[in-house]
Amino acid sequence: MTPEQIETAIAFGAVAPTLYAAHAVGDHWVQSHTSACAKGTAGAAGHRACLTHVLTYLATCLVAVLAVTAALGILDTLTATGVVVGLVVNGLTHYVVDRRKPLVFLARLTGHGGWIDSGDPEAAYKLDQSWHLGWLLVSAVLTVTL
């Protein structure tokens, strides 16, 4: 491995779990009850609630990534482009599924409609969270490689 590859691997090893932790905090503790209830509703109010949630969520992710990489002395391995692109991908994919109808559409498209329609109260939540976590992995890679 080259020194640059080692540096990237170390940064990924810091950024990926940081985004995972920030996701949990931003998606559950930072999100307001109002946003949680309204973000999937139709119309401007639903879009506004979802946007508010995603912006506070992304702020949580940004602060966490900057704080952890600074504390570890590896902040300089990140570029502004990588951080911005990672956050944009994270935010856009988060927004789309949190509008709820796209989550149901994707579940049905991939053969999980029966689970969504089964009445299992955790089905939508688990699909939502696994979607977010998959995109967090992509976001972490983009953050450290761009």
Side-chain angles (χ1 to χ4, degrees):
M1 290 183 83
T2 67
E4 293 82 17
Q5 290 170 320
I6 292 169
E7 198 173 81
T8 300
I10 290 168
F12 179 79
V15 169
T18 298
L19 283 175
Y20 181 82
H23 164 79
V25 172
D27 214 23
H28 299 102
W29 284 95
V30 175
Q31 179 175 207
S32 72
H33 179 70
T34 301
S35 289
C37 292
K39 67 186 178 185
T41 60
H47 285 285
R48 197 169 33 257
C50 195
L51 182 60
T52 298
H53 163 54
V54 169
L55 290 175
T56 60
Y57 166 81
L58 289 176
T60 304
C61 291
L62 176 62
V63 168
V65 166
L66 295 179
V68 167
T69 56
L72 296 174
I74 61 169
L75 177 60
D76 63 341
T77 66
L78 304 181
T79 66
T81 299
V83 172
V84 169
V85 171
L87 288 173
V88 167
V89 167
N90 188 0
L92 288 174
T93 59
H94 199 100
Y95 181 91
V96 167
V97 163
D98 273 19
R99 289 292 295 142
R100 298 205 177 108
K101 283 186 181 179
L103 174 70
V104 173
F105 171 79
L106 288 168
R108 290 192 173 117
L109 183 69
T110 59
H112 296 90
W115 189 22
I116 286 281
D117 298 332
S118 72
D120 180 346
E122 292 190 17
Y125 176 76
K126 287 180 178 178
L127 290 171
D128 169 87
Q129 290 300 298
S130 61
W131 168 270
H132 294 325
L133 295 180
W135 282 105
L136 281 176
L137 179 65
V138 173
S139 297
V141 170
L142 293 171
T143 299
V144 302
T145 59
L146 296 179

